[in-house]
């Protein structure tokens, strides 16, 4: 996985290409980070979360779509 730390845009590697991960809306310029952890119980084998370090907003990765924690 790779991401732009200022825009929050992110991509996942599939079949030798970078595939963009979806968002419900355009994110503001901020300071984002993505954390990935192993999860044997998850079908993917991992879980991923994106965090806006300025606001505390957080998303979890569901398939290839970021879903907001509310």
């Amino acid at each position: 996985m790779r991401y732009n730390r200022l825009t929050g845009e992110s991509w996942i590697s599939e079949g030798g290409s970078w595939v963009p991960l979806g968002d419900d809306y355009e994110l503001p310029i901020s300071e984002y980070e993505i954390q990935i952890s192993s999860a044997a119980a998850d079908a993917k084998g991992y879980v991923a979360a994106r965090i806006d370090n300025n606001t505390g907003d957080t998303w979890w990765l569901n398939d290839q779509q970021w879903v907001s924690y509310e």
Side-chain angles (χ1 to χ4, degrees):
M1 188 176 296
R2 71 184 211 185
Y3 70 99
N4 182 311
R5 68 179 184 83
L6 299 177
T7 66
E9 293 174 288
S10 53
W11 301 264
I12 193 163
S13 177
E14 282 192 3
S17 298
W18 289 107
V19 177
L21 297 172
D23 278 294
D24 288 339
Y25 53 88
E26 188 172 331
L27 299 173
I29 298 298
S30 192
E31 185 180 324
Y32 298 93
E33 71 176 272
I34 291 178
Q35 297 184 358
I36 301 171
S37 295
S38 294
D42 189 274
K44 300 183 303 291
Y46 67 92
V47 292
R50 178 178 61 193
I51 303 150
D52 182 332
N53 288 320
N54 291 321
T55 67
D57 291 343
T58 307
W59 299 261
W60 63 281
L61 186 59
N62 182 9
D63 193 19
Q64 292 188 351
Q65 179 74 30
W66 289 110
V67 178
S68 179
Y69 280 119
E70 296 190 23

